[in-house]
Amino acid sequence: MKRLLSVLSLLLSLSTVCTAQLFVGGDISMLPKYEEAGVAYKNQDGATVQDVIAFFKQEGMNAMRVRLFVDPSKDKDKAVCQDLDYVKKLGKRIKDAGLQLMLDFHYSDTWADPGKQWTPDAWKTLNDEQLNEKIYEYTKDCLQQMTAAGAKPDFIQTGNEISYGMLWGTEANVKSNSTNRCYTTSSAANWSRFITLLKQAGKACRETCPEAQIILHSERAAKPSVLTDFLDRMHKGGVDYDIIGLSYYPEHHGNIATLESALNTVKGKQYGKKIMIVETGYSYAWSIGGSYNYTATYPYSEEGQRKFTADLIEMLSSHDEVNGLFWWWPEDNGNKGVTSSWWNAALYDHNTGKPYAALYELKRFLQCGTNAVREVEAHNTLPSAVYNLQGQRISGKPQRPGLYIMNGRKYLKRR
């Protein structure tokens, strides 16, 4: 009887977890360019897919991310093309398909990341006070226009990979010094300037899209001390946000255990925030240019990519604070003059136009709407005690589809 009561108590606690909403999808910022070039998207059976976004939804994805540059017209990189008009159109398609939309402000005319956070050309003559006003006005105007266009975002990133600050200045002036950069040893003035900019951006978000959740995005998964220093400063500075966004690419950040260590470190700090992996990817063929070689575990192949995805989800599913997983550039599908071929971690075969197996793996992140679910089939060795949802102990491996309790966790048998 005591064992039965314990199982029933566990079921009650898990039922509340099962209502938590999770989000899975990808950054599909280049999709319109591929479509314009006539790139063929197919399903696994080789049939042509007419509506790629609807296909992603059909295959279990429920959210998409799109980046936004201030004025990308000067950049020669063909992947830097997402101005406001472009994003409004793509955003509306995503919303019309019934998916959630994540808007990723780069606050730059080009790629913003930990090594480059260049101020847009049109803003480069502004002093700090004027820049504070500009980021507020720009963010608010963009969100108002997105809303009017039927592309109101549900999640808003106020900056892209901003562990070391943003809006540093022009590239020529900043390369020779650390002005406006925010390292752990940087001056309080640098951090104060950065925090004020984030507050202004967040203020615009709250006023224009009060229901949207604000994401602060860092890529320091491999350096938890730097990550938590950043987050500590955000909290001390009173920055208003809802979600911690992380980038995780094994070639740049290390193995899955490294990411889990970062998650545990952040959880231990008790910030009270959800966490999303807003960028991830693993190659199906060649290196994407990082220094960590994971091929002994996950070969550069379709199966290696699928297995990485499955194992990443398995790990993330043990962390109830993680509520989002987004693949970066999944729609890359043949070049046809759209882009160069450096990104080798898409979810499409460039030769056949068919999706790789990892695309179908992503939906498992959403199973039962809870991170506590595991596949019974994945376990060759079962624990000595397995219970059904009525609290009855069963012998051997479950034979019927359904949910079961094993080792104090909920497991799903699909068939």
Side-chain angles (χ1 to χ4, degrees), residues 310-350:
D311 288 351
L312 175 63
I313 291 172
E314 176 74 9
M315 184 278 287
L316 295 177
S317 294
S318 67
H319 294 269
D320 290 332
E321 70 276 13
V322 177
N323 72 334
L325 175 62
F326 292 78
W327 198 276
W328 195 70
W329 209 345
E331 78 282 14
D332 182 27
N333 180 11
N335 296 312
K336 287 199 171 183
V338 177
T339 65
S340 64
S341 59
W342 69 271
W343 177 242
N344 303 307
L347 296 181
Y348 278 90
D349 186 317
H350 287 197

Side-chain angles (χ1 to χ4, degrees), residues 381-394:
T381 303
L382 293 175
S384 58
V386 179
Y387 297 86
N388 62 23
L389 293 191
Q390 289 71 49
Q392 300 166 327
R393 183 169 178 171
I394 63 175

Side-chain angles (χ1 to χ4, degrees), residues 220-222 224 227-228 246 257-267:
R220 297 289 87 180
L227 174 60
T228 54
L246 296 177
T258 299
L259 175 61
E260 181 159 40
S261 177
L263 294 176
N264 288 331
T265 300
V266 172
K267 184 176 182 179

Side-chain angles (χ1 to χ4, degrees), residues 140-320:
K140 189 165 187 175
D141 177 60
C142 288
L143 294 177
Q144 287 174 335
Q145 289 197 47
M146 292 284 290
T147 300
K152 188 175 184 179
D154 303 281
F155 304 99
I156 306 169
Q157 277 189 223
T158 50
N160 188 78
E161 295 187 337
I162 53 174
S163 302
Y164 300 133
M166 62 185 186
L167 295 166
W168 292 341
T170 60
E171 183 174 359
N173 292 334
V174 176
K175 273 191 171 181
S176 61
N177 59 61
S178 60
T179 302
N180 298 330
R181 300 192 193 210
C182 294
Y183 302 122
T184 56
T185 57
S186 293
S187 70
N190 282 20
W191 281 99
S192 178
R193 173 185 180 275
F194 175 36
I195 286 171
T196 300
L197 289 167
L198 283 175
K199 285 183 173 181
Q200 287 290 92
K203 178 183 176 184
C205 295
R206 295 302 189 205
E207 290 177 357
T208 314
C209 299
E211 296 178 354
Q213 296 186 66
I214 298 173
I215 300 172
L216 294 189
H217 180 198
S218 171
E219 78 309 321
R220 297 289 87 180
K223 296 184 178 181
S225 62
V226 177
L227 174 60
T228 54
D229 177 78
F230 167 79
L231 295 171
D232 285 345
R233 292 175 189 271
M234 297 300 104
H235 282 260
K236 185 177 179 181
V239 176
D240 180 17
Y241 74 102
D242 305 290
I243 295 169
I244 298 167
L246 296 177
S247 294
Y248 171 62
Y249 300 100
E251 288 196 47
H252 295 290
H253 300 117
N255 59 24
I256 290 174
T258 299
L259 175 61
E260 181 159 40
S261 177
L263 294 176
N264 288 331
T265 300
V266 172
K267 184 176 182 179
K269 297 287 287 188
Q270 298 183 339
Y271 296 117
K273 308 292 184 182
K274 289 293 186 180
I275 300 174
M276 284 186 171
I277 309 303
V278 297
E279 292 185 23
T280 195
Y282 191 77
S283 177
Y284 54 81
W286 303 280
S287 169
I288 62 172
S291 60
Y292 183 77
N293 190 328
Y294 217 176
T295 57
T297 305
Y298 307 111
Y300 290 147
S301 65
E302 178 176 5
E303 175 57 20
Q305 186 190 59
R306 186 207 66 79
K307 185 65 165 58
F308 162 77
T309 307
D311 288 351
L312 175 63
I313 291 172
E314 176 74 9
M315 184 278 287
L316 295 177
S317 294
S318 67
H319 294 269
D320 290 332

Side-chain angles (χ1 to χ4, degrees), residues 39-107:
V39 171
Y41 287 89
K42 300 179 180 180
N43 63 20
Q44 210 168 31
D45 297 325
T48 299
V49 172
Q50 300 298 333
D51 187 336
V52 179
I53 294 176
F55 173 72
F56 285 149
K57 182 181 180 182
Q58 172 189 311
E59 294 308 324
M61 299 185 191
N62 63 359
M64 292 294 159
R65 179 182 187 245
V66 180
R67 57 181 172 266
L68 171 63
F69 300 103
V70 177
D71 181 9
S73 63
K74 303 179 185 66
D75 199 300
K76 295 180 181 180
D77 188 337
K78 293 180 180 180
V80 180
C81 60
Q82 293 79 16
D83 60 14
L84 184 56
D85 285 341
Y86 180 109
V87 171
K88 285 191 293 186
K89 293 174 185 176
L90 179 54
K92 186 177 189 304
R93 287 180 60 190
I94 292 168
K95 295 288 289 190
D96 286 350
L99 302 173
Q100 300 277 293
L101 172 62
M102 180 186 296
L103 179 63
D104 176 17
F105 279 102
H106 273 242
Y107 295 125

